[in-house]
Amino acid sequence: MERIKGLKPFVKIYGILIAVFFLSMALVYCIPASWLQDNIDRSLEVMETEGERPMYAFYRHSAIVDNHTDMLMYESLIQNRDYYNAIQASVSINQYPRYWHGYQVLLRPLTIVFQVQELRYLGMILFYLLFFWSAWLIAQKTCFANALLYVLTIASGYLVAVTTCFQYLTTFYVLFGALIFLMLKYHVSEAWNLPLYFFVTGMVENFFDFLTYPVITLGIPLILLLWMRVREGQTDFWKNFVFMFLNSFAWGLGYALTWIAKWGITVVVLGVRYFWRTMSVVQYRLQGSEEEPLDRIGTIRRNLKAWMNVQDGGVITWSKVVLVLLVVVLLLAVWKKLKDWKTIAAYLPILFVASYPYIWYLVMSNHSQIHYWYTYRAQLVTLFGVLMFIRSMLRENSMETAEKGRSGFWK
């Protein structure tokens, strides 16, 4: 009975959010196409001039701007079937119904007034405002060193490309929003339904997501929470591991069920044939095809090379990566003494979370091997996790401990 009661908040929030997603999409498709057409045409002209995959400044795969998807987003603002009503149009999205296309809730109204150049500028400003706000809250609620590692991690993802591409921006907006909410609302003294928090985060990410790098919305908040648990005195490895597993499962459940809801709505609104089309695409993404056979190890290698800014002819070996990490740990161990092994073991689940991008690449290998030039950003979770774990192994000096004692851990 208690377990059933525990599921009620999940069922309730799931129903509410699916209704909000569905109704918000239908409402924005009530906007007459004539209000948007001029700005859409001008915006598409700009992106067509730039090319489908322009490279700015760095001229590396890791800095490609995905104009191809952004143009698709703009083309989807106008339904190509005049006989569809607003509900059908909002579900179909020009016969691309397997995703929610939640970006339309913002892009469609804004396109009444703005063209792509103006929206890129506004998107960039919003990105940095949310980024700095989330970093400031992490510094305030945990410590400055954690915020510094967080800023370093996000900055390593070629922000010059991220802030000029709508597809890239949406997942970062979800991440920043999730972190800001977590830092503002989470308190040690209060009971918190963290699985519900991750369940909602997974749902919201799926609403906006194009399989870009969704795992960052799970991994980065979870790493921070695991660090906070140990600092709060929870030094049992297995309890922290179960905490990691339950919250990861909740995020995955929210993400998956939101997708399933979209497919169910598509069947009801557009017919069964769209469901089978979607299933054929799912099969292709999971199993590949004769023309594009799966190479799971090659997928990981491609994403690693893009992340480390290695050109196509360059070579990355696992031994070199491991050797570099071992050297870093040894140097830091010489500089500062390590904490006791029980505390270090309590932080180990952070490294499990750091491996999530590679689990994602193995499962979603087809998509990740084709679009490695942006899916590589999922490894921001890996970088943040490794940096946080190395930092967590080291003892604090007496000045840091005294300062924390004076100011208090939570504000």
Side-chain angles (χ1 to χ4, degrees):
M1 184 63 71
E2 289 297 324
R3 289 183 179 180
I4 295 174
K5 286 183 178 179
L7 291 176
K8 283 184 178 180
F10 291 85
V11 175
K12 181 179 179 180
I13 200 71
Y14 178 71
I16 291 172
L17 283 180
I18 293 300
V20 169
F21 295 163
F22 174 71
L23 291 173
S24 63
M25 289 290 291
L27 283 172
V28 295
Y29 268 88
C30 292
I31 298 171
S34 58
W35 295 7
L36 314 171
Q37 192 67 65
D38 186 54
N39 281 337
I40 291 173
D41 292 340
R42 292 173 184 268
S43 299
L44 288 172
E45 184 179 348
V46 169
M47 288 186 280
E48 286 166 2
T49 302
E50 294 171 337
E52 289 197 343
R53 295 185 176 92
M55 299 184 192
Y56 301 132
F58 296 99
Y59 297 96
R60 289 287 191 274
H61 285 147
S62 19
I64 290 175
V65 175
D66 189 11
N67 272 358
H68 173 81
T69 301
D70 279 9
M71 284 191 286
L72 183 149
M73 293 163 73
Y74 265 90
E75 290 165 354
S76 300
L77 294 173
I78 303 293
Q79 181 53 236
N80 60 11
R81 295 192 175 181
D82 296 335
Y83 53 87
Y84 273 175
N85 59 38
I87 291 176
Q88 291 171 316
S90 69
V91 173
S92 171
I93 313 292
N94 288 351
Q95 291 70 61
Y96 199 3
R98 63 181 178 273
Y99 295 111
W100 275 95
H101 299 269
Y103 60 86
Q104 297 276 5
V105 172
L106 300 174
L107 186 58
R108 220 165 185 273
L110 288 172
T111 304
I112 298 172
V113 181
F114 301 109
Q115 297 173 21
V116 65
Q117 306 97 310
E118 299 158 324
L119 283 179
R120 282 173 175 170
Y121 182 78
L122 293 174
M124 177 186 68
I125 295 297
L126 180 60
F127 175 93
Y128 284 115
L129 286 174
L130 294 176
F131 180 27
F132 294 146
W133 187 12
S134 61
W136 180 77
L137 287 172
I138 290 170
Q140 184 187 45
K141 289 294 183 78
T142 64
C143 65
F144 177 77
N146 289 352
L148 189 62
L149 295 181
Y150 167 71
V151 170
L152 175 64
T153 296
I154 301 300
S156 71
Y158 282 91
L159 299 189
V160 67
V162 170
T163 54
T164 54
C165 182
F166 298 141
Q167 190 216 165
Y168 297 167
L169 280 173
T170 52
T171 293
F172 278 103
Y173 287 157
V174 175
L175 169 65
F176 298 154
L179 285 172
I180 289 167
F181 182 86
L182 180 66
M183 293 295 112
L184 286 174
K185 298 296 184 181
Y186 183 77
H187 296 282
V188 178
S189 59
E190 298 177 6
W192 241 64
N193 193 337
L194 284 169
L196 184 61
Y197 162 81
F198 281 104
F199 183 78
V200 170
T201 302
M203 290 188 69
V204 174
E205 171 58 16
N206 185 274
F207 182 59
F208 291 103
D209 185 39
F210 268 118
L211 287 179
T212 314
Y213 24 77
V215 74
I216 69 172
T217 65
L218 164 65
I220 291 177
L222 186 54
I223 287 167
L224 283 169
L225 280 168
L226 285 166
W227 183 89
M228 289 190 282
R229 275 176 64 84
V230 180
R231 290 300 297 266
E232 291 160 14
Q234 183 52 265
T235 57
D236 185 279
F237 166 79
W238 287 110
K239 287 183 179 179
N240 288 340
F241 186 86
V242 170
F243 174 87
M244 175 203 75
F245 176 82
L246 288 176
N247 287 296
S248 300
F249 179 78
W251 181 94
L253 188 66
Y255 189 88
L257 289 178
T258 305
W259 230 345
I260 291 170
K262 178 58 165 66
W263 300 342
I265 290 169
T266 300
V267 170
V268 172
V269 175
L270 300 177
V272 177
R273 68 186 184 281
Y274 283 94
F275 175 78
W276 295 116
R277 289 182 192 177
T278 297
M279 289 301 102
S280 67
V281 175
V282 171
Q283 183 181 19
Y284 165 65
R285 288 302 187 200
L286 294 176
Q287 300 178 6
S289 65
E290 291 184 5
E291 295 77 17
E292 293 173 329
L294 290 187
D295 180 6
R296 299 187 191 277
I297 301 302
T299 297
I300 293 176
R301 189 181 298 114
R302 277 188 173 189
N303 281 271
L304 267 172
K305 288 170 72 173
W307 183 35
M308 295 183 177
N309 201 16
V310 176
Q311 291 180 291
D312 289 339
V315 177
I316 293 176
T317 62
W318 285 104
S319 59
K320 291 179 181 177
V321 175
V322 173
L323 182 62
V324 169
L325 292 176
L326 287 175
V327 169
V328 170
V329 171
L330 288 173
L331 288 174
L332 290 173
V334 171
W335 179 48
K336 284 186 174 183
K337 292 182 179 180
L338 297 178
K339 292 177 180 175
D340 64 279
W341 290 109
K342 182 181 179 182
T343 303
I344 291 173
Y347 285 114
L348 277 175
I350 289 176
L351 291 183
F352 284 94
V353 179
S355 71
Y356 282 4
Y358 305 108
I359 297 172
W360 180 269
Y361 295 150
L362 291 173
V363 175
M364 302 301 297
S365 186
N366 172 269
H367 183 271
S368 299
Q369 75 182 15
I370 295 171
H371 302 293
Y372 67 93
W373 39 274
Y374 63 75
T375 61
Y376 79 87
R377 290 188 179 89
Q379 294 167 108
L380 297 183
V381 174
T382 305
L383 177 61
F384 189 57
V386 170
L387 291 175
M388 287 288 289
F389 180 75
I390 291 173
R391 179 197 176 279
S392 300
M393 290 194 302
L394 307 175
R395 290 182 182 176
E396 296 174 344
N397 60 42
S398 56
M399 186 178 296
E400 288 173 329
T401 304
E403 181 63 28
K404 185 163 70 72
R406 285 194 298 269
S407 62
F409 184 62
W410 297 99
K411 305 249 182 191

